[in-house]
Amino acid sequence: MTTIHVCCSTDDNYAQICAVMLCSVLENNKRNKIHVHIFISLLNDENRTIFMMLSKLYDVIIELHTVDETVLDGVKFNSRRKLSVSAYYRILLSSILTENIEKVLYFDCDMLVLEDLSDIYNMDIGNYAIAAVEDVWPIKEDHRIQILLPYSERYFNSGFLIINLKYWRDNDIEDKLLAFAKQERKVFFHDQDALNKVLGHNCFFLPLRWNRFSIAYRSYRQFVIYSDWKQYQQNPAVIHFTLVRPWHNLSSPYKQLYYEYVRKTGIQNFKLQKVPLLKGYYCIVSNKIKWMFASLLMFVLKYVR
């Protein structure tokens, strides 16, 4: 049986959310051999216990890797979008993980994984550095110019990645990612821009259902045929919580499903985060209207394409 290596990064602020994501992976992959790698800097005993409980509950290895953050000295951040340095951990995977691990699945913490991962993990991406799902960005000219992304090429989201670590090691990808991450620039999307700048020309694009945005609007133009749209809507493999999350203090898509996995983790007193109600519901309603319009267009295009 092939071991599926699953990776993620977290800190004390996101440990509970990370545990829920991992619970969804393990719950839907009970027939697979999963080895989890969590990249951390500091993590308190309470949060370490949560991961130990998951490890025992599902009888899997959950390995904590302490990252030497001095390697990331000088990486740039968007001053208006405050993130922990852990956002950059994924660009260090090829040096942190042992060389016998040649491929990994990387997930952001703000996701639910609803499908068996064996087929997607065993997919042959030997000629590609990475596999990912197209993002809705960039929408700004200066963003596209900064990462030298031609209009003929697509920009991928780094929330879910299949990473070909052998390719990374053979082609010094980590050094190239660090070099870009430390450049003086206007930062749009941190590590995601570095990944697109260095690997955008060598990315295999996955079906959009492998990174289904919970709220953020996708243009109907991103769907080749109607069945792609239908699968994305009705049968997502991975849900990526964007804009308004289930752990926020207001209603949001997939909230009931999310808390089913919260209960499965056994976490007591799962923490809610407060967000401005007006801003939150504006995001939900405005994107719902866009979705309704896009759904109508996709229904029409079903019969004209």
Side-chain angles (χ1 to χ4, degrees):
M1 181 186 295
T2 302
T3 299
I4 299 174
H5 291 276
V6 171
C7 301
C8 56
S9 305
T10 194
D11 56 22
D12 283 322
N13 292 322
Y14 281 87
Q16 289 190 347
I17 296 166
C18 180
V20 177
M21 180 277 290
L22 289 175
C23 179
S24 71
V25 170
L26 299 172
E27 186 68 25
N28 293 301
N29 285 271
K30 291 179 178 178
R31 295 183 298 177
N32 298 322
K33 185 177 180 181
I34 305 290
H35 186 139
V36 177
H37 305 267
I38 306 177
F39 304 98
I40 62 168
S41 175
L42 298 174
L43 199 65
N44 65 38
D45 289 342
E46 179 183 357
N47 287 325
R48 286 174 183 267
T49 300
I50 289 173
F51 294 123
M52 289 174 60
M53 288 169 52
L54 272 184
S55 176
K56 291 179 181 178
L57 180 63
Y58 290 97
D59 191 24
V60 299
I61 297 172
I62 297 182
E63 189 173 354
L64 300 180
H65 300 264
T66 302
V67 177
D68 177 8
E69 291 188 351
T70 61
V71 179
L72 296 169
D73 286 348
V75 296
K76 306 305 179 194
F77 291 91
N78 183 330
S79 60
R80 294 188 299 174
R81 188 165 176 253
K82 296 180 180 179
L83 291 181
S84 156
V85 71
S86 64
Y88 276 106
Y89 287 176
R90 80 195 78 193
I91 71 177
L92 303 176
L93 299 192
S94 61
S95 62
I96 294 174
L97 297 176
T98 57
E99 291 202 3
N100 65 303
I101 302 174
E102 296 187 349
K103 183 194 292 184
V104 297
L105 302 181
Y106 186 94
F107 294 97
D108 274 351
C109 294
D110 57 350
M111 291 182 151
L112 284 182
V113 180
L114 305 179
E115 194 156 301
D116 186 293
L117 296 172
S118 56
D119 286 345
I120 201 82
Y121 187 81
N122 290 323
M123 184 177 66
D124 183 7
I125 60 165
N127 295 322
Y128 293 92
I130 204 164
V133 172
E134 184 179 1
D135 206 341
V136 297
W137 306 92
I139 58 173
K140 294 183 178 180
E141 183 178 291
D142 52 347
H143 185 193
R144 185 177 285 274
I145 289 172
Q146 183 189 102
I147 58 177
L148 296 179
L149 183 70
Y151 272 91
S152 59
E153 294 187 14
R154 294 180 285 176
Y155 179 89
F156 62 83
N157 183 276
S158 64
F160 169 56
L161 303 171
I162 308 174
I163 299 176
N164 182 348
L165 291 176
K166 184 178 186 305
Y167 182 99
W168 282 36
R169 294 178 182 122
D170 290 346
N171 294 276
D172 299 319
I173 297 301
E174 187 172 307
D175 288 343
K176 295 172 184 176
L177 291 169
L178 283 169
F180 180 83
K182 295 179 182 183
Q183 282 182 14
E184 286 295 338
R185 69 192 193 282
K186 179 181 179 181
V187 178
F188 292 93
F189 291 106
H190 305 93
D191 65 295
Q192 183 168 284
D193 280 352
L195 288 161
N196 272 272
K197 173 65 170 63
V198 175
L199 303 175
H201 64 287
N202 202 9
C203 173
F204 179 82
F205 281 88
L206 298 166
L208 296 176
R209 63 185 290 269
W210 282 94
N211 197 336
R212 202 274 198 218
F213 295 163
S214 60
I215 292 180
Y217 165 71
R218 279 192 184 276
S219 169
Y220 70 93
R221 295 183 180 88
Q222 292 186 304
F223 299 90
V224 178
I225 56 177
Y226 178 78
S227 61
D228 290 340
W229 167 268
K230 191 173 181 180
Q231 283 271 60
Y232 182 81
Q233 289 281 67
Q234 299 180 4
N235 188 31
V238 177
I239 298 172
H240 192 172
F241 295 105
T242 51
L243 301 177
V244 178
R245 276 84 172 185
W247 52 90
H248 289 164
N249 58 319
L250 67 167
S251 299
S252 61
Y254 299 107
K255 189 158 191 167
Q256 182 175 349
L257 176 63
Y258 189 83
Y259 275 87
E260 289 178 15
Y261 286 100
V262 171
R263 286 189 288 274
K264 290 178 188 295
T265 65
I267 296 173
Q268 302 297 319
N269 301 316
F270 186 79
K271 297 173 184 175
L272 280 175
Q273 296 177 7
K274 291 186 177 181
V275 297
L277 294 181
L278 185 61
K279 181 180 179 181
Y281 282 119
Y282 171 78
C283 286
I284 294 172
V285 172
S286 62
N287 277 276
K288 186 66 174 178
I289 292 170
K290 291 175 183 177
W291 268 118
M292 291 170 62
F293 180 68
S295 299
L296 176 61
L297 284 174
M298 287 303 301
F299 180 78
V300 172
L301 290 173
K302 175 183 179 182
Y303 297 100
V304 300
R305 284 187 177 179

